[in-house]
Amino acid sequence: SPLDACLASLEKQIYRDFHVVVIDNSGRNITRRLGALNFTLTRIENARNIGFGAAINQAAAQTQSDYIATLNDDCEASPQWLKTMVDALDREYEIGSCAAQVRMAGSIPEQLDSAGMLIAADGSSKQRGFRCPISAFQRDSETLCCSGSASLYRRAMFEELGGFDETFFLYCEDIDLGLRARWAGWQSWYAANAIVYHRYSHSAGQSSALKASLVERNRLRTIIKNFPARELLLSPAASVGRYLFHGVTMFGGKGHAAEFRREGGSPFTLFGFVLKAHWKIMREWPSLWRARKSVRRRMTTQQMRRALRRHKISLWNVASQ
């Protein structure tokens, strides 16, 4: 199973001082079938799916380690993965998180899933280097933030920010945490030698109805909580542009909108997701505004704007990839 392969890759890690917490969100007691492993393992079986962010927060609460690594069950880590990221965070305290070089498992030639994250003018986030050749991302560098599929967080930062926002349930909680970290003055780093192989969207499907609905809702949550005021006011116009690009790519055979159509979805269904997401956000507006006011801000608005520009992705690329 993917989980067995994931845990087997952790047994091969060069860095050995770690404690693994497996969160079973399936409600089917999958972890009881695990065999003997050569590292400390804590199993937590939830009766229902409590969401990605809540599960990571739950796992983090089980240990007192200086660092918290996240690894999806559909990922396999290279032996140097953990050591490379720990070394990166050990070098500078201001680095609060480290992104791995996440490759698409089985892609020929080898392609990237992510080398950190990028963000568009409407708050849509995308993996940096998505579907690019791995040769283009062989150097360590700064990144906006990490993909939650395989990353390392400094506990001091994680606890200062209150961990992942559990109301997101699934998708965009990593970009939300990353932007809150930026506001608080923390940096994020990409470690090219921390290699992970990922079976992309193994759990929810690449273009499922569930994913489309949650991504749209959580995109809106992210910008309300984290975008500077001017960018927040301009985001609706940017969203309209992205919707138009999705319409073009849906019938042009590119991007997730086209995949959604090939799998039986219709433009009207996607439009329904958009309306539903906006309706939910209108109902949540007071709590989201309070969350915006509570974001720790050590970075100036100008500094945040420069970070967003430095790590931006075009609306067309969001729609067409």
Side-chain angles (χ1 to χ4, degrees), residues 57-298:
N57 292 346
Q58 188 180 29
Q62 298 298 309
T63 72
Q64 299 299 318
S65 58
D66 291 337
Y67 302 137
I68 300 163
T70 60
L71 188 66
N72 280 9
D73 65 343
D74 52 6
C75 289
E76 294 179 38
S78 63
Q80 73 273 18
W81 169 68
L82 194 54
K83 184 180 188 306
T84 303
M85 295 196 300
V86 168
D87 288 347
L89 266 64
D90 277 348
R91 281 196 295 272
E92 291 187 46
Y93 185 78
E94 291 75 14
I95 299 175
S97 60
C98 185
Q101 184 188 104
V102 185
R103 302 179 181 180
M104 289 185 172
S107 60
I108 302 175
E110 282 194 304
Q111 295 178 332
L112 279 179
D113 179 4
S114 74
M117 299 294 291
L118 300 171
I119 195 163
D122 72 337
S124 297
S125 56
K126 198 75 174 178
Q127 298 97 314
R128 176 172 170 255
F130 183 64
R131 296 193 186 281
C132 290
I134 61 174
S135 58
F137 290 86
Q138 293 297 82
R139 291 185 179 181
D140 293 4
S141 62
E142 182 203 18
T143 185
L144 178 64
C145 61
C146 305
S147 167
S149 62
S151 55
L152 188 69
Y153 297 94
R154 191 180 298 277
R155 182 178 290 274
M157 183 201 79
F158 194 84
E159 292 185 347
E160 176 192 348
L161 302 176
F164 287 104
D165 185 338
E166 298 182 7
T167 65
F168 278 56
F169 185 70
L170 187 63
Y171 300 117
C172 302
E173 61 280 290
D174 48 8
I175 197 82
D176 168 70
L177 180 62
L179 292 179
R180 287 189 284 124
R182 281 277 174 171
W183 276 118
W186 295 97
Q187 301 297 310
S188 187
W189 193 251
Y190 161 65
N193 289 326
I195 299 168
V196 168
Y197 294 90
H198 186 200
R199 294 177 178 84
Y200 186 68
S201 284
H202 171 80
S203 299
Q206 292 191 36
S207 304
S208 68
L210 172 65
K211 182 173 182 176
S213 178
L214 289 174
V215 166
E216 185 63 14
R217 183 196 68 177
N218 291 342
R219 174 189 70 83
L220 294 169
R221 286 180 166 180
T222 299
I223 60 174
I224 293 169
K225 288 178 61 180
N226 299 292
F227 264 26
R230 185 175 69 192
E231 283 70 18
L232 179 59
L233 290 173
L234 292 173
S235 64
S239 298
V240 171
R242 180 175 58 85
Y243 297 149
L244 292 174
F245 288 146
H246 275 304
V248 172
T249 59
M250 173 175 275
F251 294 98
K254 290 184 177 181
H256 287 305
E259 291 175 5
F260 184 80
R261 182 168 176 254
R262 284 194 293 269
E263 293 170 9
S266 72
F268 299 105
T269 303
L270 283 179
F271 183 64
F273 288 149
V274 170
L275 291 179
K276 187 176 180 180
H278 281 78
W279 172 247
K280 285 184 176 180
I281 292 302
M282 288 175 62
R283 296 174 62 184
E284 296 175 9
W285 183 265
S287 63
L288 287 170
W289 195 254
R290 287 193 297 271
R292 177 184 178 87
K293 293 294 186 182
S294 69
V295 171
R296 296 175 182 266
R297 297 185 182 233
R298 297 191 186 98

Side-chain angles (χ1 to χ4, degrees), residues 10-76:
L10 294 181
E11 288 191 295
K12 300 173 185 176
Q13 292 299 300
I14 296 170
Y15 186 90
R16 301 304 305 170
D17 186 14
F18 63 87
H19 177 180
V20 175
V21 181
V22 177
I23 305 291
D24 183 357
N25 259 353
S26 70
R28 293 182 282 122
N29 300 325
I30 292 175
T31 62
R32 294 184 183 179
R33 298 197 294 268
L34 296 176
L37 297 164
N38 295 323
F39 50 74
T40 305
L41 176 69
T42 298
R43 298 174 173 87
I44 298 177
E45 297 172 347
N46 293 319
R48 59 181 178 82
N49 188 351
I50 63 173
F52 177 83
I56 298 300
N57 292 346
Q58 188 180 29
Q62 298 298 309
T63 72
Q64 299 299 318
S65 58
D66 291 337
Y67 302 137
I68 300 163
T70 60
L71 188 66
N72 280 9
D73 65 343
D74 52 6
C75 289
E76 294 179 38

